[in-house]
Amino acid sequence: MFRTLACAAALLGLFFAAPAAEAADDYLTPFPAHHVIANIYYVGSKGQANYLITTPQGNILINSGVEKSPAMIKRSIEKLGFKYGDTKILLISHAHFDHDAGSAKIIKDTGAKYEVMDADVPVVESGGKLDFNYGDKGGKNLYPPTKVDRVLHDGDTVSLGGTVLTAHKTPGHTKGCTTWTMQVRDGGKTLNVVFVGSPNVNPGYILVGNKKYPNIAQDYEKTFEILKSLPADVFLGAHGDYYGMDAKYAELTPGGPNPFIDADGYKAYIANREAAFRKKLAEQEAGGKL
Ligand SMILES: [Zn+2]
C-alpha cells in the first residue's frame, strides 16, 4: 500500500518537487534511527539524510547536516548502540548547508578525517562563501569554514575496516556533488548501494549563461549519464524524500523483505529528475522564467 503510493507519487514528481528551502523545517525534525542494510544505518532527521557505515575499525558518516544537527546525529548513533566518538571519516553528498554545516562540530567532537570532492573543497573551506549560487546570499547558506583533510577526485575510494566507498563526481547541483556507491552482502547476495548526491536543479539556478558556472548544463548532462549507468539495488540519497524514506521505513518488518532494495524506484527517480532538468533547461533556453 505505502509502496504503491510511494511509487505513484514518485512518478508524479510529488516527492521530488519540494525545493530545499521549503523542506528546511524538516531538517531538525527527528526521525527514528534505523538499520538500512548490512552495515549501513540511517542517523538523519526527517528532512535531511545522514548515514552511519560501521566497520570493525571505526565508522564512516555521510553528511553532517545543518549547524544544529550534530547533537541529533550523536543521539541517533548512540540509540543504535554505536559510539559517536568512533566516527573516523566524514563524507558529504555535496557542499550545501544542509549536508555540511555540522561538519566543523563533528570533526571537533570526534577527530574524524574530512574527505571531500575536489570542486566542493573551496566551498567547504570558505564556509559556503564560494558557492556559485548561494555564496552571496548569506544567512543559513553560510556556516563555519572547515578544513578538508583529503581532497577526493572522481573515482577515488574511501576504505575503512573492509568497507570501500567509491566517490562518483556528479556535478551540476554543486560543482563537486558526489554520489557514493558501495557493495554489501545481504541474504547471500552482493548488492550495489547508491547514495545519490543530488540531481536537482534548485529554484533560481541559472542553466544558460551562468557566469559563475558556465558549464553547469553540460555537468548535469554528464551527471545523468553517470547516474543511469550505475548499478543500483539499494536506493539511498542526500534527502529521504529522494527515495520515499518515510513510506519505506513504515514497511520495515523483522524478517520481511527490505524495502530499501528498490532498483525500479532508483531508475524511476533518475528518469523523473532528468525530465525535470530538461524541462527547466528548455524553458531557460526559450527565455522563460526561472
Ligand atoms: Zn543541495
Side-chain angles (χ1 to χ4, degrees):
M1 170 76 171
F2 283 115
R3 186 63 157 280
T4 312
L5 282 174
C7 290
L11 292 170
L12 290 169
L14 296 178
F15 277 147
F16 317 135
E22 286 177 16
D25 287 344
D26 282 343
Y27 291 168
L28 288 168
T29 304
F31 196 85
H34 57 271
H35 180 228
V36 176
I37 197 163
N39 59 338
I40 304 172
Y41 298 83
Y42 187 87
V43 293
S45 65
K46 187 169 169 56
Q48 65 83 33
N50 308 95
Y51 300 93
L52 187 75
I53 301 159
T54 62
T55 92
Q57 284 164 29
N59 305 326
I60 300 167
L61 181 64
I62 300 182
N63 291 329
S64 60
V66 299
E67 245 182 286
K68 285 185 180 164
S69 297
M72 192 182 278
I73 295 169
K74 177 175 184 283
R75 276 199 299 277
S76 290
I77 291 173
E78 288 168 352
K79 255 184 217 155
L80 291 166
F82 301 108
K83 292 194 180 104
Y84 179 56
D86 284 345
T87 308
K88 303 291 183 202
I89 298 173
L90 176 61
L91 308 173
I92 57 171
S93 294
H94 59 265
H96 277 161
F97 78 96
D98 46 335
H99 309 292
D100 70 355
S103 294
K105 170 80 174 136
I106 289 173
I107 290 162
K108 185 167 168 265
D109 289 346
T110 67
K113 295 276 171 264
Y114 201 20
E115 307 196 7
V116 175
M117 184 61 74
D118 43 25
D120 269 359
V121 170
V123 181
V124 162
E125 294 196 331
S126 67
K129 281 193 185 137
L130 293 179
D131 180 84
F132 74 91
N133 191 73
Y134 298 110
D136 56 3
K137 295 190 171 57
K140 64 176 191 253
N141 299 296
L142 304 181
Y143 44 84
T146 314
K147 205 193 155 309
V148 169
D149 298 294
R150 179 185 170 204
V151 178
L152 301 169
H153 306 289
D154 185 28
D156 277 354
T157 56
V158 171
S159 302
L160 187 70
T163 286
V164 181
L165 281 146
T166 302
H168 303 268
K169 193 170 180 176
T170 49
H173 185 79
T174 66
K175 292 180 180 180
C177 185
T178 308
T179 293
W180 291 98
T181 61
M182 63 182 277
Q183 290 192 321
V184 294
R185 293 285 296 170
D186 180 77
K189 287 185 198 153
T190 298
L191 298 175
N192 292 293
V193 182
V194 180
F195 304 83
V196 177
S198 178
N200 294 311
V201 181
N202 278 7
Y205 269 28
I206 298 166
L207 298 173
V208 178
N210 188 327
K211 289 196 181 69
K212 289 189 178 164
Y213 193 172
N215 57 336
I216 184 170
Q218 294 96 304
D219 274 1
Y220 272 109
E221 299 271 4
K222 209 185 313 171
T223 286
F224 285 110
E225 287 313 306
I226 294 164
L227 292 176
K228 285 188 284 186
S229 76
L230 291 176
D233 302 303
V234 179
F235 172 27
L236 303 170
H239 293 279
D241 62 358
Y242 290 9
Y243 62 95
M245 178 188 66
D246 291 33
K248 286 176 176 169
Y249 175 74
E251 279 183 48
L252 278 174
T253 44
N258 188 323
F260 301 110
I261 302 174
D262 184 13
D264 290 344
Y266 174 80
K267 285 196 195 89
Y269 175 72
I270 300 305
N272 175 289
R273 295 295 77 205
E274 183 173 11
F277 159 71
R278 296 206 177 283
K279 186 164 176 275
K280 283 196 188 177
L281 182 61
E283 281 168 5
Q284 291 191 23
E285 280 172 340
K289 283 198 288 182
L290 292 181

